[in-house]
Amino acid sequence: MNEYSYMEALRSALRDEMLRDQDVFVMGEDIGIYGGAFGVTQGLLERFGKDRVINTPISEGGFTGVAVGAALTGSRPVVEIMFMDFVGLIMDQLVNQASKLRYVLGPQAKCPLVVRVACGAGRCYGPTHSQTLESWLAHIPGLKVVAPSTPSDADGLLRAAIRDDNPVVFIEHKLLYGEKGPVASPGGEPMPLGEARVVQEGDDVTVVAWSWMLAEAEKAAAELEEQDISVDLVDLRSLSPIDHETVVDSVKHTGRLLIVEEGYRTAGMSGEIAMRVFEQAFDYLEAPPRRLATPDIPIPASPILEKAAVPNTAAIVASVKDLMAYQG
Amino acid sequence: MAIAEKQLLKHYKTMLVIRLFEERVEELFGKGVIRGTAHLAIGQEAIAVGVASALKEHDYITSTHRGHGHFIARGADPNRVMAEIYGKKTGYSGGRGGSQFMADLSLGFIGANGITGGSIPVATGAALSAKLKESGKVAICLFGDGASNQGTFHESLNMAATWQLPVVYVCENNLYAMSTHVKDAMAIENIAGRAIAYGMPGKVVDGNDLFAVHDAVSDACVRARGGEGPMLLECKTYRLSGHSRGDQCNYRDVEEVQEWGKSDPIVRLQTALLERGLLTGERDAEIRESVAAVVDQAVAFAEESEYPDVSTLEEGVFA
Ligand SMILES: Cc1ncc(C[n+]2csc(CCOP(=O)(O)OP(=O)(O)O)c2C)c(N)n1
Ligand SMILES: [Mg+2]
């Protein structure tokens, strides 16, 4: 298997899908000659030209709506929103337009739209350029939401998102772009949306994470292994729909659950995941489920504060140990 | 109203402070001393200083992601601006906001803004409260050519004209929004031309000429204060630096940068001052020395300041 960076995987998936299907086009700010704020679309303009690599004015609400209209009439747009924080500007298009079309209008309508966004802290970009707002989106019926953590998943899930006939928000993480890993089937098949991945099997505790938090959780699992604590690590990958079955099965096996997310704690994803576990595996629990999330504060720019705000490996290790020590 | 001659050297000095401050920020990023990002106003100093020089002490001003210069021109302490960029406790936002998110309400500087176009309605709201309170204040809204393509721009100008609010919209048209040339983002020549669609006057201004900016903003403020409503000024300028840290500028020609370099606002002011006999080579050297001291001091202050205490992380979310 070849090694690719997360960024290369995204770029090659975009290129392949554009080659495969003439209806696919990309649009967004500075995605042309600049290659996108993080470099994902580099080279696409040269290859596909201005009509299929549409460099937009700074008009997020407008061009996302334009993409909805194009999707409704037979195109397959892939929109890039530079920072996930800016989804504030496109929410109406997602919430009141794209996500409602199929249910209300029936089989005559479909909206094959992908919106790619870059989430996450870690770069000291400050309160309006560091957020992870996936729970806003997962809350909306009719929207699919995915957040890959590896180059292989970035590749397979982006292909699937583009071929899906529904609006999909595709969440990338700033800190992952440079991460390298094997890609299962470069130029190959899409991966199904809506399926979690068991990263490693274990017996003592289930840890659920995704995106950058999965990387932190993997490091924590390795540390815990040395201390004879065996982690069943689940990469959720898809935040809507959520693969509750994989999580519930894991908790039935381990009896303990820790969820790690980068979004704000209150009304985040963790509450939803844990509630399903309560509903479906309550009798198996040996300890109350725990969660790690960003506290309910704007994400500060100062390096020292930013670092303290977001869950990390050390916090995961400590949390798992607390779970293991729980006596009832 | 024209600038008083005795103020000119002060404005010249402020422009130099901004230039050197920004150059130093760039250098510190390069060395990895500061993290995050920063957008520099190198080449656009005449707008910051021209606007600030036309305001009254109590007026409001909103800024952008490219706001260090606006803030310093409005009277911010360069020490605390630098400390904020460093993420230190002594910065204007206690390190929480960083380069794109600082303010000093006591100076009427109601905020830099990391969301392109985000401050346009905010400035309009400041003008609304000025009108409701009959405070006689004017709000100045600074924003880029790119921001003028956001819905907030169009919605705000419509409201301001409809309600005859005391606000002056000052567009810094530096020809690019990140890598995107204005010609690729709008089908018109002048952004000022949009004003007429909303029912307010618009005017194109030479944004690299301190005198022109000052005069245009002064006149617009007189109108606004007199209850005649808003105005849109488009200051043509050019950013001589990259968009932000790490910008390779592959989207523009070196010749274009060089051409605009000939219209460097600081050189233009310097030439005018020398011609008028208001500046000598000797005095210029003195001024530049004192400017270097101001910026050195800002860096030293930021270096010596402490980072915020982690125990404060969750404090102060609500009023
Ligand atoms: C809503 C939003 N979209 C995009 C960005 C990313 N971004 C930051 S500055 C910028 C360009 C702004 O251009 P302009 O308004 O002309 O100001 P300039 O940078 O030229 O001063 C972009 C696209 C942002 N910060 N906010
Ligand atoms: Mg611009």
Side-chain angles (χ1 to χ4, degrees):
Chain A
M1 259 190 268
N2 287 329
E3 291 266 323
Y4 286 87
S5 73
Y6 189 83
M7 163 114 66
E8 287 161 348
L10 292 166
R11 194 183 293 146
S12 65
L14 279 174
R15 187 197 52 222
D16 289 352
E17 291 304 306
M18 290 180 79
L19 286 171
R20 193 187 57 79
D21 183 348
Q22 283 295 316
D23 289 333
V24 177
F25 69 81
V26 293
M27 82 192 300
E29 290 159 17
D30 301 288
I31 64 164
I33 185 164
Y34 199 85
F38 295 97
V40 175
T41 57
Q42 257 163 34
L44 294 184
L45 176 67
E46 292 79 350
R47 182 126 193 194
F48 297 102
K50 277 182 165 181
D51 287 347
R52 293 182 71 201
V53 180
I54 303 175
N55 197 73
T56 63
I58 308 180
S59 312
E60 288 90 351
F63 68 72
T64 305
V66 168
V68 172
L72 185 61
T73 51
S75 295
R76 304 190 84 87
V78 181
V79 165
E80 174 172 308
I81 299 292
M82 273 186 200
F83 287 81
M84 186 169 201
D85 311 68
F86 311 158
V87 296
L89 291 141
I90 67 166
M91 280 305 257
D92 186 63
Q93 294 304 328
L94 295 178
V95 173
N96 291 316
Q97 312 293 340
S99 61
K100 306 261 191 283
L101 293 168
R102 182 51 171 248
Y103 181 81
V104 178
L105 303 180
Q108 62 170 333
K110 63 181 187 195
C111 185
L113 163 71
V114 178
V115 177
R116 296 178 37 246
V117 301
C119 80
R123 291 277 199 91
C124 303
Y125 286 161
T128 59
H129 286 67
S130 307
Q131 298 171 95
T132 300
L133 300 166
E134 56 225 6
S135 65
W136 288 11
L137 303 158
H139 187 64
I140 303 304
L143 270 190
K144 294 187 181 180
V145 184
V146 293
S149 68
T150 65
S152 191
D153 285 358
D155 172 89
L157 292 174
L158 185 54
R159 290 170 198 276
I162 293 171
R163 296 187 203 182
D164 200 279
D165 278 340
N166 300 286
V168 181
V169 180
F170 190 93
I171 304 173
E172 300 161 14
H173 198 292
K174 298 179 189 86
L175 299 184
L176 287 173
Y177 285 123
E179 294 286 305
K180 290 207 154 94
V183 171
S185 61
E189 285 308 296
M191 284 174 186
L193 301 176
E195 289 182 13
R197 177 173 64 98
V198 178
V199 179
Q200 68 168 58
E201 292 186 352
D203 302 320
D204 296 325
V205 56
T206 299
V207 174
V208 177
W210 56 93
S211 193
W212 177 252
M213 290 296 109
L214 197 270
E216 299 281 353
E218 269 188 299
K219 281 182 264 169
E223 264 184 52
L224 289 160
E225 192 77 53
E226 283 168 21
Q227 303 174 36
D228 283 331
I229 297 171
S230 146
V231 174
D232 204 59
L233 181 58
V234 178
D235 181 353
L236 206 58
R237 299 197 292 195
S238 172
L239 306 171
S240 181
I242 297 175
D243 181 358
H244 290 292
E245 199 183 322
T246 297
V247 177
V248 167
D249 284 350
S250 171
V251 174
K252 282 182 178 170
H253 177 67
T254 63
R256 296 182 187 86
L257 171 65
L258 170 68
I259 306 154
V260 191
E261 69 175 309
E262 197 174 330
Y264 303 123
R265 183 190 296 127
T266 297
M269 299 302 304
S270 302
E272 182 60 32
I273 297 162
M275 188 65 202
R276 288 297 188 100
V277 168
F278 282 132
E279 287 170 346
Q280 294 172 18
F282 186 78
D283 293 336
Y284 296 82
L285 287 171
E286 288 168 37
R290 298 180 67 109
R291 66 177 156 189
L292 285 169
T294 295
D296 295 327
I297 54 163
I299 298 174
S302 183
I304 199 161
L305 291 182
E306 187 195 51
K307 194 156 180 265
V310 178
N312 58 21
T313 304
I316 298 169
V317 169
S319 230
V320 166
K321 285 196 191 163
D322 281 353
L323 261 176
M324 297 309 297
Y326 182 78
Q327 295 293 342
Chain B
M1 212 173 41
I3 311 179
E5 279 204 344
K6 61 176 195 274
Q7 298 290 328
L8 279 173
L9 286 187
K10 195 185 87 187
H11 298 328
Y12 178 60
K13 181 175 171 185
T14 307
M15 284 170 64
L16 283 167
V17 168
I18 296 170
R19 172 72 52 97
L20 199 63
F21 185 95
E22 298 287 59
E23 285 173 352
R24 195 65 66 83
V25 168
E26 190 160 39
E27 189 186 311
L28 290 164
F29 267 117
K31 288 187 185 154
V33 175
I34 39 188
R35 300 194 53 202
T37 191
H39 308 84
L40 309 177
I42 295 172
Q44 302 181 204
E45 297 89 348
I47 301 172
V49 176
V51 164
S53 68
L55 299 190
K56 290 202 191 319
E57 207 179 308
H58 61 228
D59 289 337
Y60 299 114
I61 175 165
T62 65
S63 172
T64 64
H65 55 287
R66 201 176 297 290
H68 310 157
H70 302 152
F71 200 14
I72 290 170
R74 185 57 174 157
D77 176 357
N79 291 3
R80 295 187 62 204
V81 179
M82 189 64 88
E84 187 58 38
I85 298 168
Y86 267 73
K88 297 290 181 82
K89 192 161 126 180
T90 50
Y92 271 100
S93 304
R96 289 178 171 188
S99 163
Q100 309 191 66
F101 206 155
M102 43 183 131
D104 185 344
L105 297 180
S106 73
L107 292 174
F109 187 88
I110 61 178
N113 206 308
I115 300 297
T116 305
S119 64
I120 304 176
V122 174
T124 309
L128 176 64
S129 80
K131 184 177 181 183
L132 295 176
K133 292 174 189 295
E134 296 176 4
S135 65
K137 298 182 186 182
V138 168
I140 305 287
C141 178
L142 285 153
F143 57 96
D145 48 284
S148 79
N149 292 322
Q150 286 285 32
T152 51
F153 168 86
H154 300 273
E155 295 174 21
S156 297
L157 266 70
N158 180 51
M159 287 185 278
T162 304
W163 300 336
Q164 289 290 288
L165 300 181
V167 51
V168 181
Y169 299 99
V170 180
C171 180
E172 295 187 83
N173 181 356
N174 59 9
L175 297 189
Y176 292 89
M178 217 158 137
S179 70
T180 304
H181 195 277
V182 280
K183 286 207 161 62
D184 296 321
M186 55 187 78
I188 52 170
E189 193 64 34
N190 295 319
I191 293 167
R194 290 175 169 177
I196 193 130
Y198 301 108
M200 68 176 78
K203 189 175 177 197
V204 175
V205 180
D206 178 350
N208 284 6
D209 177 356
L210 175 76
F211 302 98
V213 175
H214 172 93
D215 291 352
V217 176
S218 295
D219 292 350
C221 285
V222 169
R223 281 187 83 251
R225 244 185 273 283
E228 291 175 67
M231 192 164 171
L232 171 62
L233 303 176
E234 176 188 6
C235 298
K236 305 269 193 193
T237 185
Y238 195 80
R239 95 174 126 63
L240 294 171
S241 49
H243 167 72
S244 64
R245 185 160 78 109
D247 180 0
Q248 306 297 323
C249 291
N250 66 342
Y251 48 85
R252 63 184 194 185
D253 300 333
V254 181
E255 294 83 63
E256 186 184 90
V257 182
Q258 283 166 349
E259 199 51 40
W260 276 93
K262 291 181 196 155
S263 176
D264 183 322
I266 292 181
V267 177
R268 283 174 65 181
L269 181 60
Q270 180 194 38
T271 308
L273 293 175
L274 289 168
E275 275 170 8
R276 290 197 202 178
L278 295 169
L279 184 68
T280 59
E282 204 179 333
R283 184 84 187 91
D284 197 15
E286 277 168 28
I287 291 175
R288 285 170 189 263
E289 208 171 302
S290 72
V291 164
V294 168
V295 176
D296 286 344
Q297 163 63 26
V299 174
F301 177 82
E303 290 278 347
E304 286 158 18
S305 295
E306 286 177 21
Y307 281 109
D309 195 327
V310 174
S311 68
T312 62
L313 180 68
E314 296 189 44
E315 289 172 5
V317 176
F318 292 106

